[in-house]
Amino acid sequence: MGLTKRNPSFPKLALGVFSTMTLAFLILPIIVIIPLSFNSAPYFTYPMPGFSWRWYAEIFGDSSASVMWQRGILNSFIVGISSTFVATTLGTLAALGLSQSTWRYRNLVYAVLVSPLVVPAIVSGLGLFYVFAKLKLVGTFWSLILAHAALGAPFVVITVSATLKGFNQTLLRAAEVHGASPARAFYEVTLPLILPGVVSGAIFAFVWSWDEIVVTLFLATPPQHTVPIRMWSGVRESFNPTITAVATLLIAMAIILMLVVDQLNQRNARFNSASR
Amino acid sequence: MIAAKALSDGLEESAALNYRRELTMKEMRRGVLVAPLFIYLTAIFVVPIVLMLIRSVEDPEVSRALPNTATLIQAWDGEGLPSAQVFAALAADVKQAALDRTLGQAGNRLNYAIPGFQSLLMKTGQKISDAPAVDATDALVQIDQRWKDARYWLALRDASSKYSLFYFRTALGFSTSEPATEGRGLYLDVLVRTLWMTLVVTSACVVLGYPLSYFLANAPERLRNRLILFVLLPFWTSLLVRTTAWFVLLQKHGLINDTGMFLGLWSQPLELIYNRFAVYVAMTHVMLPFMVLPLYSVMLKIPKTYLNAAATLGAHPVRTFWEVYLPLSVPGLSAGVLLVFIITLGFYITPALLGGPADQMLSYYIAQNASNFGNWGLAAALSVLLLAVVGAVILLFGRLGATATTREA
């Protein structure tokens, strides 16, 4: 297989065609929505009668609908940044503690740490609502920040653990031998090496928070509604091209963050091969 | 000689002791690092969910509102009608509960067992105080003939303990107090439908994802690094954006219908949205990267030399694939299948936006029972079922993974 260079065989050709079609299936639905957000008419099809920024003006203008979108964006940033901060701090510490530990109940601890990834969102939403309602937290930013931090922390644990797997422990011993305090060794040896994992995890947690909808539906009242909640009600109630403009902005954000994480992964791979 | 050995033993022992103490210190320091997140997740995530799940076996409304009836009716054997004593207790309890305003909650709970029970109870509560205090049995039957119907008393007995499996019985479609009523077994159907839809989406992801991963992993490095972005972008794009994209594409006057009609492939707009087809297409689109990414990373690590060796030894390409490549890719395949399966089981948003009433999954009914009907007991019982299925799948895959690794070793 893959030995004959000339004369691509039929299976190889079929594989190429099939894979190209699958890649098109993956990417086209996302791509076609972008031009539609510049449509001068409120239709969702081609050909477009003209180019216009009007749907972006709907987001950033000063009508009551625009104010709702802007409020949503602000809320998503408030919840996203705060919860990412909590998730990254707690997640990084936990990953450091978990690496090379040999406790008897390590698997149980790990199961709790990644449980938010496994529990279906509807069950998480119901559980958090059930308890937060009793604590009078529903309808506050606190409930969203606490919940999103819990949901985002496992990503940080996983990405930082992955960087620690390639982490050369002798470097820490070397620092110790040369008289560095544990704190100094952490800041000058460990942290720079695991930083790509920390940042990747933080980006994952941030993106997750921006994408989160089910738990947020349970915990938020209109003043805390985030971008996904606004989109959700927009699609259900009055679907208009403003939503395609919001979607385009979110796709742009996804592309930027994806490229950042891609760079970090490559850097991490280089670091790992260097530190070995 | 003996002294020397004792000395060296002693030294060894103290060294071992020191080593162990050092290790314990290190382990404790690690514990201190893990503790904040562990405590945070236990308090903010695990405990709230467990408390909510416990709601599935709590059944307090009737015994709280009608305490004497609840105690007395448990002695009834279910034959004929309960004793006059029970009738009297109910008459007194209902009178008191109407005053305490707890009757509505009890009625609400009993309504889950027999629709219309709440109005029967409320009507009885209103009229009982005017009734002459002679025979309670006659008084109740005079208010409503239904008090002669044993079904209502069976439902009352069924609801009389503080904890019960009532909501699980409702969820799984067998109820003791009522004969077959409409909607019975609904949730069992939903559970089967959820599993079936998950199976279809997972299979579609394997069928599309395996060849694609193979293609990517065996493509030249430059091309591979470009093309993998086509998989990563959907992975990074918000679920709602992707669902919205399909909403735009599949609409009656959406892109696919317009293109098809423009090309003359069909003359009337096809029904592409609000059906199972739309849900399958969009969910497969959402989940495909979760299948491709683990598969791809495992396939990248499969040494080409193994395949060359098999070919050199005279194996047909099909046999090489079947006996060498496929087994080596199984870890990636099982990781992908597990990921896709457990995430798909919990889908809510995509079916809600793109599906019809018959395409909703278990999550939809959990949300509906909790937020629209306020039936937390049933929502909790359905949550337990959903979690149980997820847990079973993880355990199953854990077992499969374990056998696979032992075989490899």
Side-chain angles (χ1 to χ4, degrees), chain A residues 1 15 19 25-26 29 45-46 93 97 99 102-103 118 122 126 128-131 146 149 211 228 231 236 255, chain B residues 27 30 33 40-41 44 48 55 214-215 233 238-240 245-246 255 258 285 308 317 353 363 366 370 376 394:
Chain A
M1 222 169 256
L15 179 68
S19 302
F25 168 68
L26 274 172
T45 186
Y46 297 95
L93 290 178
S99 86
T102 50
W103 315 312
V118 181
I122 195 79
L126 222 56
L128 294 184
F129 177 82
Y130 185 67
V131 167
L146 289 173
D211 201 6
M231 283 186 77
R236 280 164 66 106
I255 292 175
Chain B
E27 287 299 314
R30 293 200 177 104
L33 291 174
Y40 181 84
L41 286 180
I44 298 292
R55 272 297 299 247
Y214 180 89
F215 176 77
L233 180 60
S238 152
L239 168 89
L240 207 57
W246 283 108
L255 202 54
D258 277 12
H285 182 248
N308 292 344
L353 288 181
S363 290
I366 295 175
W376 279 83
I394 294 175

Side-chain angles (χ1 to χ4, degrees), chain A residues 61-239:
Chain A
D62 43 22
S63 72
S64 66
S66 310
V67 171
M68 298 252 281
W69 283 114
Q70 288 158 27
R71 184 74 219 173
I73 293 169
L74 181 68
N75 288 349
S76 275
F77 271 114
I78 293 174
V79 175
I81 291 174
S82 320
S83 64
T84 301
F85 179 75
V86 176
T88 309
T89 312
L90 298 182
T92 305
L93 290 178
L96 284 168
L98 272 178
S99 86
Q100 302 192 334
S101 63
T102 50
W103 315 312
R104 195 178 310 165
Y105 299 110
R106 186 177 187 275
N107 286 344
L108 186 72
V109 171
Y110 195 74
V112 170
L113 295 192
V114 299
S115 60
L117 292 183
V118 181
V119 176
I122 195 79
V123 178
S124 312
L126 222 56
L128 294 184
F129 177 82
Y130 185 67
V131 167
F132 283 6
K134 289 182 179 168
L135 300 174
K136 305 249 183 296
L137 282 172
V138 170
T140 66
F141 276 106
W142 284 112
S143 69
L144 293 187
I145 294 168
L146 289 173
H148 284 208
L151 296 170
F155 290 111
V156 184
V157 173
I158 288 172
T159 55
V160 177
S161 294
T163 35
L164 281 170
K165 244 180 212 163
F167 181 71
N168 193 339
Q169 292 287 327
T170 47
L171 291 175
L172 274 186
R173 233 164 287 147
E176 199 183 322
V177 169
H178 287 91
S181 67
R184 191 164 168 212
F186 174 75
Y187 278 109
E188 296 195 8
V189 179
T190 312
L191 195 59
L193 284 173
I194 65 167
L195 201 59
V198 176
V199 177
S200 302
I203 291 176
F204 261 110
F206 184 74
V207 168
W208 193 261
S209 166
W210 268 76
D211 201 6
E212 213 304 313
I213 173 155
V214 178
V215 175
T216 313
L217 273 174
F218 275 100
L219 298 179
T221 51
Q224 298 95 39
H225 277 180
T226 53
V227 173
I229 305 285
R230 294 261 178 254
M231 283 186 77
W232 161 259
S233 44
V235 175
R236 280 164 66 106
E237 285 146 26
S238 59
F239 193 70

